[in-house]
Amino acid sequence: MEVELRGAGAGAPAAGLRLLRTEVPAKNEPEAAAASGPRRAGRLRLWFPTLTLYLAFLGLGTTVAILGPTFQDLATNVNRNISSLSEIFVGRAFGYLCGSVIGGVLFDYMNQFLLLALSMLATTAGLLLTPFCKQEVLLIVMMSVFGVSFGALDTGGNVLILALWGDKSPPHMQALHFSFALGAFLAPLLAKLALGPSGSADNHTEPGLLPPALNRSSEAASVSLLGFPHDMNLLWAYASTGTYILLVSLFFFALFFMKSSRQGKSTASAQVLRRAKHHKALLCLLFMFFFFYVGAEVTYGSYIFSFATSHVGMDEREAAGLNSIFWGTFAACRGLAIFFAACLRPATMIVLSNVGSLASCLFLVLFDKSPLCLWIASSVYGASMATTFPSGVSWIEQYTTISGKSAAFFVIGGTLGEMAMPALIGSLQRQYPDLPVVLYICLVSAIVTALLFPVMYKLATLPLNHQRKRNRKNKD
């Protein structure tokens, strides 16, 4: 049964309450008490999938971020240098792109909970097999499997939250993405607990550091695709994460089997679809908006460490702290946004985020050699970037219903920005090594997003303004 509760006004919770409004006299206390049972059941059907989605995005953030602290161990496991193993990031990004497209299409034609459960199962299989990969090709395939499941879960999770909560979705959308940020924050800590403070540094056998004869003999010895990892702590790090993902997938399977035909009929009758007059134009503009926003977010988070050490002259410990404060304020403000979204409109939060991003990027460009400005502006920039994506999804849903294919379209925009902008900066930085290219690109992205949103807002509200003018003329 498809969960399609995209009500235009009261949203899914109100639709669920309408099912319980029967013509029962208020004085009949036993019957009123009996009616409270269906109400509790309705709330359970609403909150159980919502909390399961939170747990799924927590696991998604952990799975995405655990690659960083275990990257060296994975490279050692396949007997390669880190520099020669960068293809796994390309494989994961390509898989994410494919997963967004496939998930967006399937989400409109099959049970959402079943699709999410299968995606989580694929993630579990990938996590459990990754430590056993002894060949680079197989490791890239596993990362591509991760990417496909990530894309399907990211697209499906956003659509499902909108479908469940309707116009009341903004706080839950912020909570969903806060769960992802929290998982990404916890992943390095969990990996450190599993690998120990020194990881497996004593076991590194990178081919680039060995004599050619030893390289050939080691490559010949590792002809099998699978084998036990060089460090069993690496296995525990991925196995513990995979076990958690497996448990969450069981919740999705439980939700799939809990659905009944009676519920499907009642919710289908409550479905009200909205379609803006300029639906396709709005999606294209949102595609571009997320292209620049996600690209700038990933670019700054990826390059701030090297920029601080090479351009500003910070030592590695300070640069690592700078990187942590960016992601720390990012995660903290996503948590606070859960409460802000209950009293602020999504459009207001987007405007505040754009202003903060533009101001911090401008200060970074003007005072690019100042360590103090870099600390302050990085924290403001991280806080400003935190709420943009979930607020953008909640905002567009106010004017046009977001289906699986629509969500996949603008998620692909963010994915392409994540792939294109770091590559562009890497190319420009090689040509202009003395310029703060990363700051220029982030400033341009902030300007573009600040200009795009007023255009999107005008395009979305234009038919509404015309309708208000007609109503005033009719009254006169």
Side-chain angles (χ1 to χ4, degrees):
M1 190 282 294
E2 298 287 334
V3 178
E4 299 285 351
L5 299 180
R6 303 185 181 106
L17 292 176
R18 283 198 298 271
L19 302 176
L20 307 173
R21 291 173 185 164
T22 57
E23 298 179 359
V24 178
K27 297 180 180 179
N28 196 334
E29 294 183 0
E31 294 186 9
S36 64
R39 288 193 183 94
R40 286 194 295 269
R43 287 194 293 268
L44 178 63
R45 286 196 297 267
L46 192 62
W47 276 103
F48 185 27
T50 302
L51 294 176
T52 303
L53 281 172
Y54 293 164
L55 294 175
F57 268 62
L58 179 70
L60 177 63
T62 304
T63 307
V64 169
I66 201 173
L67 178 60
T70 60
F71 189 28
Q72 177 66 72
D73 297 274
L74 292 175
T76 304
N77 211 35
V78 297
N79 205 24
R80 291 290 184 272
N81 286 314
I82 290 180
S83 58
S84 64
L85 201 60
S86 59
E87 291 84 359
I88 66 174
F89 294 100
V90 178
R92 189 174 70 174
F94 181 74
Y96 184 91
L97 194 65
C98 295
S100 299
V101 176
I102 297 171
V105 173
L106 293 180
F107 213 74
D108 291 335
Y109 296 102
M110 67 178 291
N111 184 278
Q112 294 98 328
F113 295 133
L114 179 60
L115 179 61
L116 294 178
L118 294 176
S119 299
M120 300 292 279
L121 274 184
T123 305
T124 301
L127 284 168
L128 295 179
L129 287 175
T130 294
F132 295 96
C133 293
K134 289 297 183 178
Q135 291 292 329
E136 180 182 3
V137 175
L138 184 59
L139 185 60
I140 294 174
V141 171
M142 289 297 104
M143 291 298 141
S144 300
V145 172
F146 284 160
V148 172
S149 59
F150 295 162
L153 180 61
D154 194 10
T155 303
N158 285 290
V159 175
L160 192 53
I161 281 290
L162 294 173
L164 287 168
W165 291 97
D167 291 343
K168 297 181 180 180
S169 64
H172 303 284
M173 184 67 69
Q174 298 290 347
L176 187 72
H177 288 269
F178 168 70
S179 300
F180 178 89
L182 180 62
F185 175 75
L186 293 176
L189 303 178
L190 297 175
K192 186 176 181 181
L193 289 175
L195 297 175
S198 61
S200 53
D202 298 335
N203 298 325
H204 293 336
T205 56
E206 299 178 2
L209 304 177
L210 297 175
L214 291 180
N215 283 342
R216 287 192 296 268
S217 62
S218 62
E219 290 178 0
S222 59
V223 292
S224 61
L225 292 177
L226 296 174
F228 281 97
H230 73 285
D231 188 349
M232 292 303 293
N233 289 329
L234 178 67
L235 174 61
W236 302 133
Y238 277 83
S240 59
T241 308
T243 303
Y244 172 82
I245 297 294
L246 178 62
L247 292 176
V248 177
S249 70
L250 297 179
F251 289 147
F252 280 121
F253 278 117
L255 285 166
F256 169 64
F257 290 113
M258 281 170 58
K259 304 179 76 63
S260 64
S261 60
R262 180 180 59 83
Q263 183 186 359
K265 293 177 182 178
S266 60
T267 54
S269 62
Q271 177 184 357
V272 179
L273 297 179
R274 287 169 289 190
R275 186 175 179 87
K277 181 179 179 181
H278 305 286
H279 175 81
K280 293 182 179 179
L282 278 173
L283 288 181
C284 290
L285 289 174
L286 195 64
F287 178 96
M288 296 175 59
F289 184 86
F290 283 147
F291 176 91
F292 286 99
Y293 158 72
V294 177
E297 173 196 318
V298 173
T299 295
Y300 192 82
S302 302
Y303 280 93
I304 185 60
F305 181 90
S306 59
F307 171 80
T309 54
S310 61
H311 189 81
V312 183
M314 289 185 173
D315 58 37
E316 292 190 357
R317 171 176 282 185
E318 287 181 316
L322 187 67
N323 196 48
S324 297
I325 199 172
F326 172 76
W327 290 113
T329 55
F330 183 89
C333 283
R334 275 203 168 171
L336 293 174
I338 300 172
F339 306 99
F340 293 152
C343 56
L344 295 177
R345 293 181 177 272
T348 304
M349 297 185 70
I350 293 175
V351 170
L352 293 175
S353 298
N354 286 343
V355 171
S357 298
L358 189 59
S360 55
C361 287
L362 185 60
F363 273 95
L364 283 169
V365 170
L366 294 177
F367 306 101
D368 60 293
K369 293 289 187 178
S370 170
L372 178 62
C373 180
L374 195 59
W375 280 98
I376 297 174
S378 294
S379 59
V380 175
Y381 194 40
S384 301
M385 299 284 276
T387 65
T388 305
F389 191 92
S391 296
V393 178
S394 298
W395 174 80
I396 192 68
E397 172 68 13
Q398 293 177 333
Y399 302 97
T400 186
T401 299
I402 299 300
S403 64
K405 290 187 286 292
S406 299
F409 182 70
F410 59 70
V411 167
I412 289 171
T415 305
L416 291 177
E418 180 182 351
M419 296 169 63
M421 280 198 186
L424 175 64
I425 287 180
S427 176
L428 292 176
Q429 197 68 68
R430 286 191 292 270
Q431 299 180 23
Y432 308 99
D434 297 328
L435 294 179
V437 177
V438 60
L439 302 185
Y440 292 157
I441 294 295
C442 290
L443 178 60
V444 170
S445 299
I447 293 173
V448 172
T449 53
L451 294 176
L452 274 176
F453 184 68
V455 177
M456 292 192 298
Y457 187 84
K458 184 65 176 178
L459 199 63
T461 57
L462 189 60
L464 300 178
N465 293 334
H466 288 329
Q467 185 64 35
R468 288 170 186 160
K469 291 179 181 178
R470 289 196 206 99
N471 293 338
R472 288 172 187 168
K473 290 180 181 179
N474 293 335
K475 289 179 181 180
D476 297 338

